[in-house]
């Protein structure tokens, strides 16, 4: 029998990426989104997950520090973690327990427009202010030094004269939705294994 690989998504907000990831894996038999974790009670992502019958968990700041968050992830036998608009730092205990198995998506072309304060619309405003002609999204590993995790994939979109921070945000979100689920699937198959690599076990 094939082992099913289990993904946990961490998200703080709307959860449009989480939704696309959940939809993607709902059609795949050997990888599943098993858990959605948020630091924010009432975040729309929690309802989206619950609508798909996925277990949700809301954690407090203390649970990052005291190791409880890692216990929750382990209790659900999670193999791989994807951050999707998660605004907290996931904590060193979880990072150490999941080397090369935690990824994040950032709505700009790192290493530009990353770091402190660079989230949400602030990123796209900074792109406009810098008169960039290209923006896009970056998928990268999460390591203990947050901004230094290796880049896995980037996709770009043009920034044209009529663009505003809001229109760039929409273009980048479309790229994220189109590429993040597929990238996660490739990484899970590479790092954990899927139907092909588990055949005969
Ligand atoms: C995305 O732009 C992602 O790159 C960033 O946070 C945003 C989350 O959007 N990390 P959503 O909650 O998935 O709609």
């Amino acid at each position: 029998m094939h082992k099913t690989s289990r993904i946990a998504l961490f998200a703080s907000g709307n959860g449009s990426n989480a939704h696309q990831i959940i939809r993607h894996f709902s059609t795949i038999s050997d990888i599943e989104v098993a858990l959605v974790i948020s630091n924010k009670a009432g975040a729309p992502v929690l309802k989206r997950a619950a609508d798909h019958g996925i277990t949700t968990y809301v954690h407090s700041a203390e649970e990052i520090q005291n190791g409880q968050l890692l216990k929750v992830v382990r209790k659900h036998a999670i193999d791989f973690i994807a951050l999707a608009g998660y605004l907290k730092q996931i904590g060193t205990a979880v990072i150490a327990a999941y080397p090369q198995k935690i990824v994040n998506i950032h709505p700009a072309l790192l290493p530009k427009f990353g770091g402190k304060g660079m989230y949400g619309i602030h990123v796209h405003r900074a792109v406009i202010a810098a008169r960039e002609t290209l923006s896009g999204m970056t998928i990268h590993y999460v390591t203990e030094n947050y901004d230094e995790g290796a880049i896995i994939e980037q996709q770009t979109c043009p920034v044209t004269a009529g663009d505003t921070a809001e229109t760039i945000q929409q273009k980048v979100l479309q790229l994220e939705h189109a590429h993040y689920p597929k990238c996660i699937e490739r990484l899970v198959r590479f790092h954990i294994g899927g139907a092909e690599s588990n055949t005969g076990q």
Side-chain angles (χ1 to χ4, degrees):
M1 202 169 105
H2 297 147
K3 175 187 179 295
T4 299
S5 296
R6 293 166 64 81
I7 299 172
L9 301 177
F10 280 62
S12 305
N14 182 29
S16 69
N17 276 285
H19 189 221
Q20 292 302 320
I21 296 164
I22 289 167
R23 284 185 50 186
H24 179 82
F25 288 104
S26 69
T27 65
I28 289 173
S29 62
D30 58 340
I31 304 174
E32 68 175 305
V33 176
L35 181 64
V36 171
I37 294 186
S38 184
N39 60 306
K40 234 176 145 181
V45 68
L46 294 168
K47 171 150 184 4
R48 290 183 191 261
D51 285 348
H52 286 268
I54 294 171
T55 305
T56 60
Y57 185 84
V58 178
H59 72 80
S60 64
E62 298 75 61
E63 286 175 288
I64 297 178
Q65 303 304 328
N66 66 17
Q68 180 59 24
L69 190 56
L70 177 58
K71 279 194 191 145
V72 170
V73 170
R74 285 217 163 113
K75 183 179 140 208
H76 289 271
I78 297 304
D79 300 297
F80 193 89
I81 295 173
L83 313 186
Y86 180 65
L87 294 176
K88 283 269 174 221
Q89 299 225 336
I90 191 170
T92 50
V94 176
I95 292 173
Y98 285 85
Q100 300 272 83
K101 290 180 188 132
I102 310 177
V103 294
N104 182 40
I105 190 161
H106 186 77
L109 299 173
L110 291 175
K112 283 183 172 181
F113 308 108
K116 208 170 163 46
M118 283 294 156
Y119 63 90
I121 199 72
H122 304 291
V123 177
H124 309 294
R125 286 189 187 134
V127 166
I128 294 269
R131 298 179 180 280
E132 296 287 321
T133 55
L134 215 55
S135 192
M137 63 99 196
T138 304
I139 299 165
H140 63 94
Y141 287 110
V142 173
T143 61
E144 300 210 5
N145 298 328
Y146 251 65
D147 294 326
E148 294 171 20
I151 291 173
I152 300 160
E153 180 176 341
Q154 291 189 307
Q155 297 287 344
T156 64
C157 58
V159 178
T160 54
D163 269 323
T164 62
E166 287 74 18
T167 60
I168 301 172
Q169 185 173 44
Q170 284 313 311
K171 288 189 206 177
V172 172
L173 260 183
Q174 279 179 19
L175 287 177
E176 296 184 3
H177 296 167
H179 296 282
Y180 200 22
K182 288 190 271 186
C183 182
I184 293 169
E185 183 182 350
R186 282 196 301 275
L187 291 167
V188 170
R189 294 199 187 285
F190 181 75
H191 287 296
I192 319 290
E196 290 90 340
S197 55
N198 281 336
T199 299
Q201 287 186 359

